[in-house]
Amino acid sequence: MRDLVWDGYRNARDLGGLPTSLSATGATRFGRVARGPRRELLTETGWRDARGWGLAAVVDLRCAHEVGVRDGDPVVAPETLDAVPVVNAPTEDQDDPEFREICFPILDSPEYWRHNWRILPHLVLATLTAIADAPHGLLVHCSAGRDRTGMISALLLSNAGVAPAVVAADYAESVRAMAGVTAHAQHDRQAAWGTEEVDSWIATTAPIVEDVAADVDAAFATIGADADLRSRLRDRLTAR
């Protein structure tokens, strides 16, 4: 039920259906937030599928220079695209010298997440605020839907009371979904990976994701998110 079948769009999942004691249903709620890769991969049918799920808005985590149609992307009518509002809320400033030095070598690893919100807390705070302000039926995406989207999803799920091991399993799903896929990004070493590389990577990185999720209070403190913002983000995934 969590996997979303939107035409042309792999690695799309609803953040609902994950166990938490903070929801009356015992699980995060469906139809509130979805995660995925670059929206330009959606076909005309895929956009209809997404609207059928309840898509009402998009928060795009990419830098401005990454946004737009590329060769090979499906042709979609302008009125289809205009029907869903998009907020660009990048988590990265790729011109920041410290970010470039520390994060560029590890951008496909959750190892960079803590550095991202330490170096650029105002950007991550703006991203989380955009998510809190958006309507239900929100798609959050980056390029692959794995790294930046994985980082934000980990913060949202951990803040909603989802256990660290479950947060790490959600990250691992995206690694598996995007391995061997080249359409989402121009440079991604994981696009050439097979099962052995993926299994080895998950074994190495899952503990990193679990540590981040277990220390979510420290993450939000570094980002500068106050109690009200955290409550609004939590309610998005748990409240009636």
Side-chain angles (χ1 to χ4, degrees):
M1 292 178 63
R2 294 189 61 229
D3 290 335
L4 298 171
V5 182
W6 298 351
D7 190 58
Y9 203 62
R10 64 191 300 157
N11 189 29
R13 286 191 309 286
D14 195 313
L15 292 189
L18 296 175
T20 172
S21 61
L22 301 181
S23 172
T25 64
T28 53
R29 294 188 176 271
F30 286 104
R32 304 293 180 83
V33 181
R35 59 176 294 173
R38 51 191 294 268
R39 65 185 180 278
E40 293 88 351
L41 296 171
L42 284 164
T43 65
E44 190 81 43
T45 299
W47 280 102
R48 288 197 295 271
D49 294 336
R51 294 301 297 270
W53 170 78
L55 181 66
V58 174
V59 170
D60 185 342
L61 309 180
R62 297 174 295 174
C63 300
H65 71 270
E66 299 176 84
V67 179
V69 176
R70 302 177 190 162
D71 291 343
D73 287 343
V75 176
V76 178
E79 55 268 26
T80 299
L81 302 176
D82 293 342
V84 179
V86 176
V87 175
N88 189 232
T91 57
E92 301 176 358
D93 176 359
Q94 296 184 355
D95 292 325
D96 182 276
E98 186 179 6
F99 183 85
R100 290 178 64 89
E101 178 183 359
I102 294 175
C103 296
F104 269 30
I106 53 174
L107 277 179
D108 67 345
S109 169
E111 184 181 358
Y112 93 90
W113 293 356
R114 284 192 174 101
H115 295 297
N116 193 158
W117 58 64
R118 175 184 61 81
I119 298 168
L120 302 168
H122 61 291
L123 291 184
V124 181
L125 179 62
T127 298
L128 294 172
T129 302
I131 292 170
D133 290 343
H136 292 324
L138 175 66
L139 170 64
V140 178
H141 78 82
C142 56
S143 185
R146 182 191 62 212
D147 303 311
R148 285 167 285 189
T149 303
M151 176 179 72
I152 295 301
S153 296
L155 290 172
L156 295 176
L157 292 173
S158 303
N159 185 58
V162 177
V166 178
V167 175
D170 182 67
Y171 164 77
E173 284 190 56
S174 287
V175 175
R176 295 190 188 281
M178 299 310 289
V181 179
T182 59
H184 62 280
Q186 295 172 321
H187 305 287
D188 182 6
R189 61 174 175 163
Q190 296 190 25
W193 284 3
T195 303
E196 289 186 8
E197 292 96 336
V198 169
D199 289 345
S200 175
W201 182 257
I202 291 172
T204 300
T205 56
I208 300 173
V209 179
E210 291 192 40
D211 286 346
V212 167
D215 201 21
V216 67
D217 290 342
F220 275 97
T222 300
I223 292 164
D226 61 19
D228 177 69
L229 177 59
R230 291 192 64 178
S231 178
R232 290 200 293 142
L233 291 169
R234 185 179 301 114
D235 286 350
R236 173 168 294 276
L237 288 176
T238 61
R240 291 184 183 277

